[in-house]
Amino acid sequence: MESPTILELIWSARWPILYGLGTTVLISALAIAGGTVIGVGLGLVLAYGNLAWRFAGRLYTDFVRGTPVFVLVLASYYILTTIGLDLSPFQAGVLALTVFCSSHVGEITRGALQTIPRGQTEAAKAIGLGFGQTFRYVLAPQALRLGLPAWINTAAEMVKASTLLSVIGVAELLLRTQEVISRAFHSLEFYLLAGALYFAINYAIERFGSYVERRVATD
Amino acid sequence: MNMKSQLLGLSSAVVMALAATGAQAGKLEDVLARGKLIVGTGSTNAPWHFKGADDTLQGFDVDVAKIIAKALFADPEKIEFVNQASDARIPNITTGKVDITCQFMTVTGERAQQVNFTVPYYREGVGLMLKEGGSYADYAALKAAGSSVTIAVLQNVYAEELVHKALPEATVDQYDAVDLIYQALESGRADAAATDQSSIAWYITQNPGKYKDAGYGWSPQTYACAVGRGDPDWLNFVNTALHEAMTGVEFDTYAASFKKWFGKDLPPPAIGFPVEFQ
């Protein structure tokens, strides 16, 4: 019996690995998109909210940021069940990553907004802009430039954190790779392949970030 | 105990405390009304629970679960498998995510305080795999060779101690992954590979004529399915189904599965006086 070459093994495992890759991309995209939307709102609350809102936002941010992602994953899968919210592993995983992402984006947004000198907000007020207009035309474009590098970093972290969902049985890239290894062996080769695919996803995020950075650059 | 399992233990303790207040109808009635059995198992350990080349879940644990489904619905396919890591086995039972877990779960006193174990369906042990036609014929030859034999084993804090229980003098080489211990044996860097006997049996059936079992097993552990605590009817039902698979009407199904994954023919239980009381 001639044993198959590693390329033949990878070819025979192409569908499980592609499904895993698709699931990882989907989880990451949902978590980054949801986390960014919630996080920007959170950042606004942290930067401009009144005392009560700021306190609530701070409590949420510090609690979530101070918790390991793994614990958040377990909490949304197991603890929510006891209050009658029975999420599927996929839903629970996306929820946990979204919450984690939002706390980071919230801090990035707050940091970026508070870096902009106060004088600009005052000047905007002086020429008759309301808060909405000030945010839209003065603060947001600058905050985007300031926060983008850190946001890309967070997005890449989310892709890597998605591997933790394998524990609750989400068939993402890492779990799919382990499934293939249990049948076909060659662990080093298949883990190397998975590593290359994770790199490809994160490289794509980094290129996307550079593209946006160029688009919003002042000159 | 690593951090993961500690965290899982903690979260399942919280959940048990929260769930303790709610009264429940019997699991057996629930499962029958639902029309399918929800089984927790893994997907990354051949020949127990793994994905074949066609990406379907298969293995001995999967077959055991199908025997239980057949007892419930006269249809072994009325199952929904919940994919879970080994660390998630107990929490998924205590939170009711699954009706039963069949995932090469070793019976221990600590675990038996958190879940109810069924009757065992397999006894695992460590064994030694040799190359067919290699310099050592069997366990006795390996033992006689003393420190000149090299044994490949999966890296573990207790790996050296484990091998020395069977071969006190042997040189022990530890490797990071299971396929690497097989490679070490194949390339001649090791004279034998020490791993679970079920893994050896599976590997031999996958590579016919190339390897053999040295014929000695040690370090026994019992594999059983597990269900939630506090429901004797459900536990009794599952026990009955498993018991009859090993001694009664479903013996042929169990034996066919055993042959498929471990390559061994089981002798049928003696007819007449029940084997359990002999």
Side-chain angles (χ1 to χ4, degrees):
Chain A
M1 191 175 76
E2 195 61 36
S3 34
T5 67
I6 182 65
L7 284 177
E8 284 166 352
L9 282 173
I10 289 173
W11 182 246
S12 77
R14 64 194 184 280
W15 289 117
I17 290 189
L18 283 175
Y19 282 132
L21 181 66
T23 308
T24 289
V25 169
L26 183 63
I27 292 165
S28 309
L30 289 172
I32 293 166
T36 301
V37 170
I38 300 169
V40 168
L42 185 65
L44 286 172
V45 166
L46 289 172
Y48 303 116
N50 65 29
L51 191 66
W53 276 98
R54 278 212 311 277
F55 180 76
R58 178 53 55 203
L59 204 66
Y60 171 85
T61 311
D62 286 355
F63 180 74
V64 173
R65 277 204 315 163
T67 310
V69 196
F70 188 62
V71 173
L72 291 176
V73 171
L74 295 180
S76 51
Y77 188 53
Y78 291 118
I79 309 291
L80 290 184
T81 305
T82 59
I83 56 163
L85 194 60
D86 206 2
L87 298 179
S88 73
F90 182 88
Q91 293 166 332
V94 170
L95 174 67
L97 291 186
T98 302
V99 166
F100 191 72
C101 186
S102 72
S103 71
H104 280 252
V105 174
E107 276 292 88
I108 293 167
T109 309
R110 181 196 61 78
L113 288 170
Q114 290 183 341
T115 309
I116 302 166
R118 277 198 74 82
Q120 293 196 18
T121 318
E122 284 156 13
K125 206 179 272 177
I127 60 168
L129 297 183
F131 179 76
Q133 288 169 313
T134 309
F135 182 73
R136 167 79 182 79
Y137 297 109
V138 180
L139 300 173
Q142 299 185 74
L144 182 61
R145 272 204 295 281
L146 290 164
L148 206 55
W151 180 85
I152 289 161
N153 199 25
T154 299
E157 284 299 324
M158 289 305 115
V159 176
K160 290 188 272 176
S162 71
T163 56
L164 295 170
L165 305 198
S166 61
V167 173
I168 56 171
V170 179
E172 43 67 69
L173 181 55
L174 181 66
L175 183 58
R176 286 289 190 167
T177 303
Q178 288 170 336
E179 287 177 357
V180 171
I181 290 170
S182 79
R183 167 174 63 80
F185 299 106
H186 294 273
S187 54
L188 292 182
E189 291 89 341
F190 278 108
Y191 279 133
L192 205 63
L193 175 65
L197 292 173
Y198 279 111
F199 176 78
I201 300 171
N202 279 341
Y203 188 69
I205 291 175
E206 195 257 301
R207 295 312 306 162
F208 172 73
S210 306
Y211 166 77
V212 178
E213 264 182 82
R214 275 200 308 280
R215 285 294 304 273
V216 298
T218 32
D219 294 290
Chain B
M1 198 187 245
N2 60 26
M3 195 183 84
K4 261 191 196 175
S5 40
Q6 278 180 350
L7 289 169
L8 277 157
L10 185 67
S11 58
S12 69
V14 169
V15 164
M16 276 195 291
L18 291 168
T21 46
Q24 276 190 325
K27 180 64 98 180
L28 179 58
E29 287 73 22
D30 285 354
V31 173
L32 288 171
R34 189 197 300 130
K36 68 177 178 189
L37 179 67
I38 301 178
V39 179
T41 198
S43 61
T44 57
N45 297 90
W48 294 97
H49 39 259
F50 69 106
K51 298 281 188 77
D54 57 354
D55 207 34
T56 57
L57 195 63
Q58 51 193 283
F60 194 65
D61 283 333
V62 173
D63 287 349
V64 166
K66 285 181 177 173
I67 287 171
I68 300 165
K70 192 177 173 193
L72 283 161
F73 308 111
D75 180 353
E77 301 304 321
K78 288 195 172 171
I79 294 192
E80 178 189 329
F81 285 103
V82 171
N83 195 347
Q84 59 191 21
S86 291
D87 285 338
R89 288 178 297 195
I90 289 178
N92 277 6
I93 295 168
T94 54
T95 55
K97 300 266 184 198
V98 299
D99 300 322
I100 187 166
T101 279
C102 299
Q103 190 177 3
F104 64 12
M105 197 164 175
T106 303
V107 177
T108 67
E110 195 185 17
R111 287 174 177 168
Q113 294 167 25
Q114 302 178 65
V115 294
N116 277 352
F117 282 110
T118 64
V119 293
Y121 60 87
Y122 190 80
R123 172 123 320 115
E124 185 62 287
V126 181
L128 293 159
M129 186 165 76
L130 298 167
K131 259 169 109 166
E132 196 72 66
S135 13
Y136 301 97
D138 55 13
Y139 171 67
L142 286 170
K143 194 162 187 183
S147 62
S148 61
V149 290
T150 304
I151 307 297
V153 65
L154 193 62
Q155 191 174 49
N156 186 304
V157 187
Y158 309 105
E160 183 137 356
E161 192 186 324
L162 182 70
V163 173
H164 283 164
K165 272 187 196 170
L167 300 166
E169 313 272 307
T171 312
V172 178
D173 279 356
Q174 303 195 21
Y175 293 89
D176 286 333
V178 174
D179 52 331
L180 298 183
I181 70 172
Y182 296 146
Q183 265 180 37
L185 177 64
E186 177 60 29
S187 66
R189 275 176 285 137
D191 300 304
T195 186
D196 287 347
Q197 283 198 316
S198 63
S199 305
I200 293 175
W202 167 245
Y203 202 71
I204 292 172
T205 64
Q206 291 303 100
N207 301 277
K210 288 183 76 177
Y211 303 99
K212 62 181 176 185
D213 193 310
Y216 179 70
W218 73 100
S219 193
Q221 43 185 320
T222 301
Y223 287 170
C225 296
V227 297
R229 287 179 52 184
D231 193 339
D233 276 355
W234 177 234
L235 177 64
N236 194 51
F237 177 85
V238 176
N239 276 341
T240 305
L242 291 176
H243 185 260
E244 294 317 301
M246 288 176 277
T247 60
V249 286
E250 291 299 329
F251 175 76
D252 290 346
T253 315
Y254 179 91
S257 176
F258 201 94
K259 170 78 178 165
K260 183 177 182 184
W261 304 116
F262 307 124
K264 291 184 190 88
D265 289 303
L266 292 175
I271 308 301
F273 189 72
V275 288
E276 295 84 345
F277 305 108
Q278 269 166 3

